[in-house]
């Protein structure tokens, strides 16, 4: 399952491409007894509260967001990478897992991918 790659591409494209000076993307992974968390952080442009609200709405809508959001189509931005990854995780492992995003305009963004510690969380195979 392609989980990390679209998140890192988003960090580079949306966070760092327009940043003046050096940019950095960091990937950390750690686990608890119940969860495996992958954290992708960048020191890029970050997002405003309005952009975060829009992203939260798209994460909640999942794959249907692109078909419903004509503004995304006009800008030539599909806006579906994070909603697709989030929807796939929830489909495979349940609603306790998925993507969380934290961002501050001008500071950067952190995306956490939260997965079960074991693959059998939704009755799947180990």
């Amino acid at each position: 399952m392609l989980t990390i790659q679209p998140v890192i591409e988003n960090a580079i494209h949306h966070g760092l491409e327009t940043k003046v000076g050096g940019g950095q993307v960091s990937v950390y992974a750690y686990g608890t007894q119940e969860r495996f968390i992958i954290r992708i952080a960048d020191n890029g442009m970050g997002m405003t509260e309005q952009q975060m609200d829009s992203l939260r709405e798209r994460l909640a809508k999942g794959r249907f967001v692109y078909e419903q959001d004509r503004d995304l189509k006009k800008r030539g931005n599909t806006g579906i990478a994070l909603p697709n990854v989030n929807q796939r995780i929830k489909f495979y492992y349940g609603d306790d897992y998925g993507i969380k995003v934290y961002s501050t305009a001008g500071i950067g963004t952190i995306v956490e991918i939260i997965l079960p510690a074991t693959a059998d969380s939704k009755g799947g195979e180990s």
Side-chain angles (χ1 to χ4, degrees):
M1 174 164 55
L2 290 173
T3 303
I4 300 171
Q5 180 257 344
V7 179
I8 293 174
E9 278 185 6
N10 272 3
I12 294 167
H13 178 70
H14 298 291
L16 301 180
E17 277 187 356
T18 58
K19 179 179 172 68
V20 177
Q24 180 177 346
V25 176
S26 303
V27 180
Y28 305 96
Y30 61 95
T32 68
Q33 266 190 298
E34 296 180 3
R35 292 181 166 75
F36 180 70
I37 300 163
I38 304 165
R39 180 178 285 173
I40 295 110
D42 69 66
N43 65 344
M45 301 304 292
M47 288 181 264
T48 65
E49 197 56 42
Q50 182 181 16
Q51 290 169 316
M52 282 297 301
D53 288 344
S54 175
L55 178 58
R56 284 184 196 105
E57 183 179 343
R58 285 183 283 146
L59 286 172
K61 286 182 181 178
R63 68 181 177 163
F64 305 109
V65 68
Y66 185 62
E67 294 169 3
Q68 296 170 356
D69 194 334
R70 292 182 182 158
D71 187 44
L72 288 174
K73 290 179 184 179
K74 286 179 188 174
R75 291 191 316 247
N77 179 359
T78 63
I80 60 171
L82 292 182
N84 275 348
V85 171
N86 190 49
Q87 185 178 25
R88 238 180 316 165
I89 292 168
K90 290 183 178 302
F91 175 77
Y92 283 111
Y93 304 117
D95 287 335
D96 290 340
Y97 306 99
I99 289 181
K100 289 187 180 181
V101 181
Y102 310 93
S103 188
T104 303
I107 304 284
T109 301
I110 298 170
V111 176
E112 287 185 340
I113 301 169
I114 303 164
L115 302 167
T118 59
D120 63 353
S121 286
K122 194 178 173 186
E125 298 174 13
S126 299

